[in-house]
Amino acid sequence: MAVLGLTDPGGGDWARLRGLQYASLAKASVARMATHGIAALAVAGLFIGHVHYVALIAWLAALAASLHYSSKIDATLVDADRRSMSPDEVKRQTVSAIFNALIWVVPTAVFSLWVDVETQLKLWTVLAMLMAASAILLPGVPLGTLMFTGIVGGAAAVEFLFGGLIYMTVAVLAFSVTISAGAIEAARRYLQTKIAEAGIVEKNEVVSLLLREYEEGEADWLWQIDTSRRVRSVSPRFAFALGMEPKDIDGKPIIQLIAGPAWETGEFPSSLHDLAERLKRRESFSNLLVRVTINGTNRWWELSGTPKLDESGVFDGFRGVGSDVTEQRESADKIAYLARYDTLTGLPNRMMLTEALGDALAYAEQWRTRCAFLMIDLDRFKAVNDTLGHLVGDQLLARVSERLKEQITENELCGRLGGDEFAIVIRDASDIDHVNRVAEQVIERLSQPYEVDHHTLYVGASVGSAIGPRDGSTVETLMRNADLALYRSKDGGGGEHFTYEPALHAHAEERRKLEFSLRRALERNEFVLHFQPVVDAHTEQVVSFEALLRWNSQEHGFVSPAKFIPLAEDTRLIVPIGEWVLREACREAANWPGHVRIAVNVSGEQLLDQNFAASIVGALSSSGLQANRLEIEVTESIFVRDATQANAALEQVMALGCGVSLDDFGTGYSSLGYLRRLRFSNIKVDRSFVQGAATGNQESLAIIRAVVAMADSLEMSTTAEGVETELELAVTRKLGCKKIQGYFFGRPMPAAEAITLFQQQARAQGGESAA
């Protein structure tokens, strides 16, 4: 019933399907008119002489009117296959078919009354031809054929039945049924065909739309080549990507178009070789990254392609898609670069150094040779960074990297580990002397002065090395052991190269244990203060003591200050230890005569601590010691680290009434600038100059004279340190030093001995008075 158009089942667009059916009427309209015209003339010829001509003319006129009406309806269905059919249109066409069939009934029902059986049979032949023609010409509209066949065939059967021609009646009915069944089956197949065609058209439209949208995109294009690998059907986007007009591209080899100068030289990039081989082997490929040259510029394309076959399954070329991924590739390359290279210096970073060391170890293992890993740390870099700022520090690191690159051959790789630490991987270190030469060259070259931002800077370098696989068979082990060797170099004052030794592990373990004990030393009361006297250069009376920290550990016994003080500074334990020293020194000094002062050494970590001034106030208040009896000793290095904050802290100390003494003047970063800015109460001359002056060293003599003269002009006192002999005492007195400190007058002593010393002085003074 759905095929006939009598019902519209759910689940489909039947109005659209009706349009596909009835569109065939317009296409067959002329043939239908011609068939009906020929049949009408044949019928008129049969009845001329038997039927009055007026009746025949009237019939012909009615038939012509019916056919004209049908043709007008057919004309409205020209675009039915591109739209939906309305129920009214279906109804009009059906009524037209019924009206046309009724007109054809007239010759059978009326005109046949005046003719013989032979003429009736001839009439039936014409009508049968019309039925068959209707079924053939209107396969998509079976309802019209059924109406025409049913009405005309039924009328003929009735005519033969009343004429007593039973066999003809049966034949007419059988023919009509056959035509009707054939019309229905033809309509069903026609409809299936049209549905399939419509589906293909719709798919083609969708594909065309997608391709058009794809082509109109910003990055992708379609490409197609023939069996000779020449470009065909050039798309606009593909032409744009090549920077050429489509007409200039069509027919040219695709490799020639994207190879650039390599087409002439034959020196193709490996990616182009890969593309050419895949095209040659006729194999599919996807997301193939190819380096191309377009108008002299290197670009990166990502291509995908599939072989295409003709109807016979024969290879007919390639088609595929492509996109320009230059920006993505450059971004990926940049990310990869940033992951493996240091942005400041351009040197390989820790990750790349680690990979290179791993490769070197594998190479050494394979060929039974050795490799080496050198860790480099800049000496005094932190002072530059703190005083001149990070910008100058970064520029200095860049200069250092340039000098490192100068020392590198194909056998080495240098890089930056981070901060002021660098490293060198030596792939083949079978010659140990070569490792030493590289280290010495690095130290020598990096220790030369740098001109950075109008500053002349001096930094050195310390190097620690480890040999693989002797000193470690893994990257981690070798790097750790090189670090231990570097620490040994730094611990020795820097500027040296040390090679890893197994004993360094013991040293590192000892340091770890020492740090653990140091963290518990305060709570265990393991610290004690000793006091070294400072005397007047002329009267030789004690005018002050310098407090010196001693540590007697439960685990390690007596530990040298030269060993635990740097450790305390590295771990910042010096801050709480320094506070304890201040409190204890003030407490002991409160028991001494009122004219005797106490000097306490303060490290840079303490001085830069925000609670430093408060700790001094606390020590003075808890002990009751007058502020003018406390003297804080600092070294020149604190001004290099952070001069502004150091000045501010010392000014607070002076504001409390305490004195400030400058220790070891002349041995480090000597500058008159901070001497002018701060009113030091005392300047201490280092023992190295005292010993030099006693031996007649002119440089030492000149330095002491200059320090004394400068101190006198600035109304500061001077103390000569390390005086151990009468000669040294005589020289320092002659040079004008006002105070003397050293073993000649007394070694560092416990607090009780200091009290005893005062008592002895008092008795001696009493005896002199009695005399």
Side-chain angles (χ1 to χ4, degrees):
M1 298 298 284
V3 172
L4 297 177
L6 299 178
T7 61
D8 289 341
D13 187 4
W14 282 93
R16 177 81 172 86
L17 297 178
R18 294 284 173 262
L20 295 175
Q21 285 182 291
Y22 281 83
S24 62
L25 289 173
K27 298 175 183 178
S29 181
V30 175
R32 285 175 59 220
M33 297 304 110
T35 302
H36 278 271
I38 293 171
L41 291 177
V43 170
L46 288 176
F47 289 105
I48 289 178
H50 300 287
V51 178
H52 195 276
Y53 72 92
V54 175
L56 285 174
I57 292 173
W59 177 75
L60 289 171
L63 180 61
S66 173
L67 293 174
H68 177 68
Y69 178 71
S70 295
S71 67
K72 289 180 64 177
I73 294 176
D74 292 347
T76 64
L77 301 175
V78 173
D79 62 344
D81 58 344
R82 297 187 298 274
R83 60 180 176 84
S84 300
M85 282 281 291
S86 67
D88 288 341
E89 289 178 305
V90 175
K91 183 178 179 181
R92 282 200 304 271
Q93 203 284 327
T94 303
V95 170
S96 170
I98 293 172
F99 183 67
N100 185 258
L102 290 175
I103 293 175
W104 276 104
V105 168
V106 172
T108 301
V110 179
F111 295 166
S112 294
L113 297 175
W114 290 281
V115 296
D116 55 16
V117 173
E118 182 181 354
T119 304
Q120 291 177 357
L121 291 175
K122 291 179 180 180
L123 175 61
W124 164 247
T125 302
V126 174
L127 296 176
M129 179 200 69
L130 279 177
M131 294 179 191
S134 178
I136 295 171
L137 294 175
L138 304 177
V141 191
L143 185 58
T145 301
L146 291 180
M147 290 297 179
F148 185 84
T149 301
I151 293 172
V152 174
V158 171
E159 176 194 6
F160 288 127
L161 180 62
F162 280 105
L165 300 174
I166 302 300
Y167 66 93
M168 282 301 300
T169 302
V170 174
V172 167
L173 291 175
F175 181 80
S176 299
V177 170
T178 301
I179 289 294
S180 298
I184 293 173
E185 179 62 21
R188 186 180 63 79
R189 293 184 179 180
Y190 177 85
L191 189 58
Q192 288 177 343
T193 302
K194 287 299 180 181
I195 291 173
E197 290 178 355
I200 292 173
V201 170
E202 185 174 0
K203 287 180 181 178
N204 288 339
E205 289 177 351
V206 171
V207 170
S208 297
L209 178 61
L210 291 175
L211 291 178
R212 188 162 58 251
E213 290 179 351
Y214 191 82
E215 279 291 300
E216 291 172 356
E218 289 296 325
D220 304 317
W221 61 81
L222 302 173
W223 60 273
Q224 183 172 314
I225 59 174
D226 59 19
T227 55
S228 300
R229 296 190 283 278
R230 296 178 180 273
V231 177
R232 301 298 181 191
S233 303
V234 182
S235 67
R237 286 297 306 166
F238 186 37
F240 178 79
L242 286 169
M244 301 171 66
E245 293 295 327
K247 61 183 177 59
D248 298 327
I249 300 171
D250 194 65
K252 288 188 177 181
I254 188 170
I255 300 298
Q256 178 183 357
L257 291 170
I258 62 179
W263 179 257
E264 301 295 337
T265 63
E267 298 176 355
F268 297 103
S270 59
S271 58
L272 267 182
H273 269 297
D274 191 16
L275 173 63
E277 283 299 314
R278 290 172 185 264
L279 294 177
K280 183 179 179 180
R281 294 195 299 265
R282 301 178 181 179
E283 63 183 32
S284 299
F285 53 90
S286 178
N287 301 326
L288 181 65
L289 201 61
V290 181
R291 189 170 70 112
V292 302
T293 303
I294 307 299
N295 295 328
T297 302
N298 290 329
R299 309 286 295 177
W300 286 96
W301 285 5
E302 191 175 76
L303 299 175
S304 298
T306 305
K308 61 188 183 75
L309 308 176
D310 61 14
E311 295 80 359
S312 305
V314 179
F315 175 72
D316 194 33
F318 266 85
R319 67 160 57 95
V321 296
S323 59
D324 191 317
V325 294
T326 304
E327 285 73 19
Q328 297 93 311
R329 172 65 185 235
E330 289 176 350
S331 297
D333 288 346
K334 185 175 182 180
I335 292 172
Y337 178 86
L338 293 175
R340 300 170 66 82
Y341 287 87
D342 177 58
T343 54
L344 175 62
T345 63
L347 293 175
N349 61 11
R350 179 181 289 271
M351 185 180 80
M352 192 169 178
L353 284 168
T354 301
E355 292 176 356
L357 183 56
D359 293 341
L361 278 170
Y363 178 85
E365 185 73 25
Q366 180 181 359
W367 299 104
R368 303 292 181 180
T369 183
R370 287 179 289 193
C371 63
F373 185 71
L374 281 65
M375 290 189 73
I376 305 163
D377 187 83
L378 300 182
D379 300 331
R380 300 181 296 278
F381 173 77
K382 192 175 189 306
V384 173
N385 218 23
D386 290 342
T387 54
L388 301 179
H390 291 287
L391 181 60
V392 172
D394 288 348
Q395 293 181 53
L396 177 58
L397 290 175
R399 301 288 177 82
V400 168
S401 68
E402 291 172 2
R403 294 188 182 183
L404 279 175
K405 291 176 186 176
E406 297 171 0
Q407 312 302 316
I408 299 306
T409 66
E410 293 182 355
N411 188 39
E412 295 96 30
L413 175 75
C414 71
R416 183 186 178 205
L417 294 172
D420 62 342
E421 284 192 339
F422 296 83
I424 296 176
V425 176
I426 301 179
R427 185 176 180 84
D428 184 1
S430 51
D431 181 8
I432 297 298
D433 290 337
H434 175 67
V435 178
N436 294 329
R437 284 194 301 271
V438 170
E440 289 167 4
Q441 289 170 3
V442 166
I443 292 173
E444 180 183 359
R445 187 73 179 96
L446 297 190
S447 299
Q448 294 173 5
Y450 299 82
E451 293 294 331
V452 179
D453 198 20
H454 308 296
H455 297 281
T456 301
L457 305 177
Y458 293 86
V459 295
S462 301
V463 179
S465 64
I467 308 298
R470 184 193 71 186
D471 298 333
S473 57
T474 66
V475 171
E476 293 77 12
T477 303
L478 208 58
M479 292 181 73
R480 183 178 68 247
N481 291 343
D483 192 31
L484 288 174
L486 175 64
Y487 181 80
R488 174 69 182 85
S489 175
K490 298 289 285 186
D491 200 33
E496 293 184 89
H497 166 226
F498 276 87
T499 302
Y500 168 77
E501 299 172 356
L504 294 178
H505 271 295
H507 179 75
E509 180 64 17
E510 180 187 0
R511 176 185 167 87
R512 186 191 66 79
K513 292 180 178 178
L514 197 65
E515 179 183 340
F516 181 75
S517 298
L518 186 62
R519 292 184 181 278
R520 298 187 296 172
L522 273 178
E523 61 186 58
R524 289 178 171 183
N525 295 319
E526 294 178 352
F527 290 121
V528 65
L529 288 184
H530 283 197
F531 303 89
Q532 185 174 27
V534 179
V535 302
D536 184 279
H538 300 289
T539 66
E540 298 185 1
Q541 295 296 310
V542 175
V543 293
S544 66
F545 279 90
E546 179 180 0
L548 300 171
L549 183 63
R550 298 293 183 262
W551 179 26
N552 189 12
S553 169
Q554 292 182 12
E555 291 87 2
H556 307 281
F558 176 77
V559 183
S560 168
K563 200 171 186 178
F564 75 81
I565 293 296
L567 180 60
E569 290 179 339
D570 288 345
T571 57
R572 282 190 57 82
L573 290 172
I574 195 67
V575 175
I577 292 174
E579 291 179 358
W580 179 88
V581 170
L582 271 172
R583 292 195 303 271
E584 190 68 14
C586 291
R587 186 180 65 81
E588 290 294 342
N591 300 321
W592 301 340
H595 69 281
V596 179
R597 307 180 75 183
I598 180 66
V600 179
N601 289 284
V602 173
S603 73
E605 291 292 338
Q606 287 178 267
L607 192 65
L608 300 180
D609 185 75
Q610 59 182 0
N611 295 320
F612 175 66
S615 66
I616 290 181
V617 172
L620 292 173
S621 61
S622 63
S623 64
L625 185 72
Q626 293 179 351
N628 63 354
R629 294 181 60 195
L630 175 62
E631 187 173 71
I632 301 298
E633 286 192 9
V634 296
T635 61
E636 297 172 273
S637 60
I638 64 169
F639 299 101
V640 177
R641 180 171 179 182
D642 192 336
T644 303
Q645 191 170 346
N647 284 336
L650 291 178
E651 285 173 357
Q652 287 182 310
V653 171
M654 293 177 180
L656 293 174
C658 302
V660 177
S661 177
L662 184 60
D663 198 6
D664 298 336
F665 182 76
T667 62
Y669 310 92
S670 301
S671 171
L672 299 179
Y674 47 79
L675 290 179
R676 290 196 302 267
R677 288 192 297 271
L678 288 170
R679 302 295 297 177
F680 290 97
S681 57
N682 185 46
I683 298 177
K684 301 184 78 172
V685 180
D686 188 71
R687 61 175 296 180
S688 61
F689 300 126
V690 172
Q691 292 171 346
T695 61
N697 182 278
Q698 294 301 313
E699 183 179 354
S700 297
L701 290 167
I703 289 175
I704 295 178
R705 289 193 188 99
V707 171
V708 171
M710 178 180 59
D712 289 344
S713 66
L714 294 174
E715 298 181 353
M716 299 178 186
S717 180
T718 51
T719 301
E721 289 186 293
V723 175
E724 299 181 359
T725 66
E726 289 189 12
L727 177 59
E728 290 173 352
L729 174 62
V731 170
T732 51
R733 277 176 174 170
K734 184 178 180 181
L735 291 173
C737 291
K738 293 183 173 58
K739 292 184 286 188
I740 308 294
Q741 179 180 355
Y743 286 176
F744 186 81
F745 288 104
R747 293 175 176 272
M749 61 189 72
E753 291 185 18
I755 296 293
T756 303
L757 181 62
F758 289 128
Q759 293 172 349
Q760 291 174 351
Q761 281 191 348
R763 284 197 295 270
Q765 290 174 356
E768 290 177 1
S769 299

